[in-house]
Amino acid sequence: MKIVSLLCYFFKLLVRLFMAIFNFNRLYSAYAWCRRTLCFIWRFTKRMFTPICGYLFLPITGRKYNGSQGELEGNAEDRPTERRFSEDVESPSPEGQREAAGGKRVAESNREHTGKRPTFENDDDEFDGDEYRVEPTDELYCGYDSTWETEEPQRGKVTRTKRRMYNYMFNRFENAAKDMQNYRHDYPAQVRQQRWNQVSLQDNKPNLQFYLGRKCSEPDGVNIYNFHEEWFGQYNRLECVHSYIQWLFPLQEPGMNCKATTLTKEEITEFCQSDAAKANLLKSYKLMLDFYGIELCDEESGEVKRASNWRVQFNNLNSRTHNNLRITRILKCLGTLGYPHYQAPLVRFFLEETLVHRQLPDVKHSVLNYFVFAVLNKRERRNLIKFAYLSYDPKEEFVWCPKKIQMIWSQGMEGRKEAFELDPNRYSEDESQDEEN
């Protein structure tokens, strides 16, 4: 009888232990749900009322913004929840240092594809002169944008010239710059978030395992190979399902899918060393490009062009603005997982479509606020901003570059105009050569 009683006692103990573990998982799931919900409500409320307040206090001369004011750029799908910089805190190291120290992988990949990227008309040393040094007192200086930093930024608060107009557009850019700076500097404030995510991890390196075909996505339960074979060209499914994008393009920041996990440093290292994982990521990239009406022309350089279905898919892309967040995620993922040289060609494509060909009007400000500043290579990012400024109209509303830099480019445009008046034939020949290049 004592043996039977002892067995019963151990059985009850096991049952209680099982119930305790089950209840812990339920409690953690409830906690995670409450936390995500509160964060979403806070972000939604902030983004609803901040533009309204900015618009009410905006001078009458500044109300010339033509973009989509209903576009919520920073919802939780592609923006971090707790990582924000302050102008009173010392800024992270400049991106030139980040590219050198942020991983030998990115630097080597950049050097490998230097000769394969699209060429720009700028000389390599154009941005290295003292005339491109920007002071924090510049009218359009953004404390979260390190694109024009040539030395260690100043500490503490600085006195900045008051912006006379277009405060609303600059504020949108400044809010976006916080997120993009956090990404480009390799998430310096992500330690606490990763610690919370590690609590729910029950398998090792889930993102890497998914891309190696050893794990299905959650909650959809789709294998990476099924995504590439069965989802390609299924535009309604790609548009309406919102839980797959975090698996196809994982980041070191959380998204809306609570079943997807953030990338870890160990995963990134092993992912970039795996030819199979990188090959599958390239297929995922082609899958989404086709969905957006774009085709990858050159797998070496990353050059893209319009696909045969571009008209219909451009219409969908322009009307469904949540895809802007997806593209931002794709650009970030490319820079993290071994394809940083693919970033600039895709951004250049969107700049040409929005500013030159006047397509995708509701995507234009996402391109300028987010896409451009996802490019890790500072020189390419500067070239893209110059191209955007020269193509933007009206130029007095351009807020994505310090005023000093804009004046330099404007003077260059005036010089070319004077050269055309003096010798139009020579100018036309130069233009035709630039177009051929």
Side-chain angles (χ1 to χ4, degrees):
M1 292 297 294
K2 291 184 179 181
I3 296 177
V4 175
S5 301
L6 189 61
L7 291 175
C8 293
Y9 174 77
F10 278 112
F11 177 76
K12 293 180 180 178
L13 185 62
L14 289 174
V15 171
R16 292 179 180 178
L17 181 61
F18 174 79
M19 293 299 296
I21 295 174
F22 178 74
N23 289 333
F24 171 78
N25 289 334
R26 294 185 62 183
L27 287 174
Y28 178 79
S29 300
Y31 161 77
W33 180 86
C34 292
R35 180 173 171 273
R36 289 193 305 273
T37 303
L38 291 175
C39 290
F40 176 79
I41 293 174
W42 165 250
R43 286 192 298 273
F44 178 79
T45 304
K46 182 179 179 181
R47 283 163 179 75
M48 282 294 294
F49 287 97
T50 299
I52 295 175
C53 295
Y55 184 81
L56 292 176
F57 291 100
L58 183 67
I60 299 298
T61 56
R63 297 181 183 178
K64 296 183 179 180
Y65 173 67
N66 297 320
S68 174
Q69 297 185 11
E71 186 177 336
L72 299 179
E73 295 286 353
N75 81 8
E77 181 168 344
D78 280 288
R79 290 179 63 88
T81 57
E82 302 181 48
R83 301 187 291 277
R84 293 294 180 266
F85 290 89
S86 172
E87 293 184 5
D88 300 332
V89 181
E90 179 183 359
S91 300
S93 59
E95 285 174 56
Q97 299 177 14
R98 190 265 174 186
E99 289 172 6
K104 191 175 181 181
R105 168 187 58 81
V106 175
E108 290 178 351
S109 179
N110 283 339
R111 286 195 297 269
E112 179 183 353
H113 295 88
T114 298
K116 303 173 183 177
R117 296 173 186 161
T119 57
F120 296 91
E121 61 182 2
N122 311 62
D123 296 331
D124 290 341
D125 299 330
E126 177 186 358
F127 302 113
D128 295 337
D130 292 338
E131 66 272 16
Y132 281 91
R133 292 182 179 270
V134 179
E135 298 295 333
T137 55
D138 189 278
E139 181 180 356
L140 292 177
Y141 175 83
C142 177
Y144 305 105
D145 176 26
S146 55
T147 300
W148 304 102
E149 289 179 0
T150 54
E151 57 185 10
E152 190 71 23
Q154 298 182 8
R155 300 182 183 183
K157 287 187 176 181
V158 295
T159 303
R160 181 169 55 193
T161 304
K162 185 178 180 180
R163 296 185 297 275
R164 295 185 299 273
M165 56 197 318
Y166 313 121
N167 287 315
Y168 174 68
M169 291 174 62
F170 184 86
N171 289 338
R172 288 190 70 189
F173 162 53
E174 198 168 39
N175 289 332
K178 299 177 186 180
D179 176 49
M180 305 316 294
Q181 186 193 58
N182 191 33
Y183 159 71
R184 294 195 309 270
H185 287 81
D186 204 22
Y187 302 94
Q190 73 170 354
V191 177
R192 180 172 59 176
Q193 185 66 43
Q194 276 203 353
R195 184 167 63 249
W196 280 112
N197 290 335
Q198 293 296 332
V199 175
S200 60
L201 289 178
Q202 297 182 3
D203 53 351
N204 190 30
K205 302 179 179 62
N207 295 291
L208 179 61
Q209 297 299 318
F210 168 73
Y211 257 97
L212 293 177
R214 303 169 185 171
K215 175 182 173 61
C216 293
S217 66
E218 298 179 13
D220 303 306
V222 182
N223 186 279
I224 184 64
Y225 305 111
N226 292 334
F227 271 120
H228 296 158
E229 296 173 3
E230 299 176 6
W231 287 52
F232 193 94
Q234 300 296 316
Y235 300 142
N236 288 334
R237 181 185 295 180
L238 292 170
E239 174 60 41
C240 298
V241 179
H242 300 283
S243 53
Y244 68 89
I245 196 71
Q246 291 86 4
W247 286 97
L248 290 185
F249 301 95
L251 297 177
Q252 297 180 75
E253 59 188 72
M256 290 295 290
N257 184 358
C258 61
K259 297 294 185 179
T261 58
T262 57
L263 275 173
T264 63
K265 303 296 183 184
E266 294 77 11
E267 277 185 307
I268 295 173
T269 301
E270 295 187 26
F271 194 106
C272 294
Q273 295 173 351
S274 172
D275 293 336
K278 292 184 64 177
N280 282 330
L281 179 59
L282 179 57
K283 292 180 181 179
S284 298
Y285 183 51
K286 293 179 179 179
L287 168 72
M288 296 306 295
L289 286 181
D290 176 73
F291 173 54
Y292 297 132
I294 307 172
E295 180 182 348
L296 182 64
C297 305
D298 190 338
E299 294 186 4
E300 294 296 324
S301 66
E303 182 183 358
V304 295
K305 67 177 182 179
R306 289 177 176 178
S308 58
N309 62 342
W310 72 272
R311 293 186 183 276
V312 176
Q313 296 312 116
F314 271 28
N315 182 63
N316 179 77
L317 177 58
N318 190 62
S319 60
R320 308 294 180 87
T321 55
H322 69 92
N323 284 293
N324 300 338
L325 306 174
R326 292 178 172 180
I327 296 173
T328 302
R329 169 177 282 271
I330 292 171
L331 286 166
K332 290 180 177 180
C333 182
L334 292 174
T336 301
L337 296 181
Y339 292 95
H341 56 290
Y342 276 19
Q343 292 179 311
L346 182 61
V347 176
R348 176 68 179 248
F349 172 84
F350 278 112
L351 286 174
E352 291 177 349
E353 292 295 337
T354 55
L355 302 181
V356 179
H357 304 304
R358 309 295 181 182
Q359 299 289 333
L360 304 172
D362 288 338
V363 183
K364 181 176 70 173
H365 284 85
S366 295
V367 179
L368 294 167
N369 285 328
Y370 288 90
F371 297 3
V372 171
F373 296 93
V375 177
L376 294 176
N377 187 286
K378 181 183 290 187
R379 184 174 300 280
E380 289 183 336
R381 194 163 66 252
R382 290 177 173 183
N383 281 323
L384 290 169
I385 295 174
K386 181 176 182 180
F387 175 82
Y389 175 75
L390 297 179
S391 306
Y392 194 89
D393 185 45
K395 288 181 172 44
E396 59 269 16
E397 296 184 11
F398 194 86
V399 299
W400 297 274
C401 176
K403 209 68 174 179
K404 177 183 177 180
I405 309 297
Q406 296 185 27
M407 293 176 63
I408 296 174
W409 292 338
S410 297
Q411 293 172 1
M413 293 175 62
E414 294 176 0
R416 296 193 70 179
K417 182 178 180 181
E418 294 176 358
F420 173 75
E421 294 174 353
L422 294 174
D423 192 353
N425 294 329
R426 180 180 178 181
Y427 182 83
S428 299
E429 292 176 359
D430 294 340
E431 283 295 311
S432 61
Q433 291 178 0
D434 289 342
E435 291 178 359
E436 291 177 0
N437 294 333

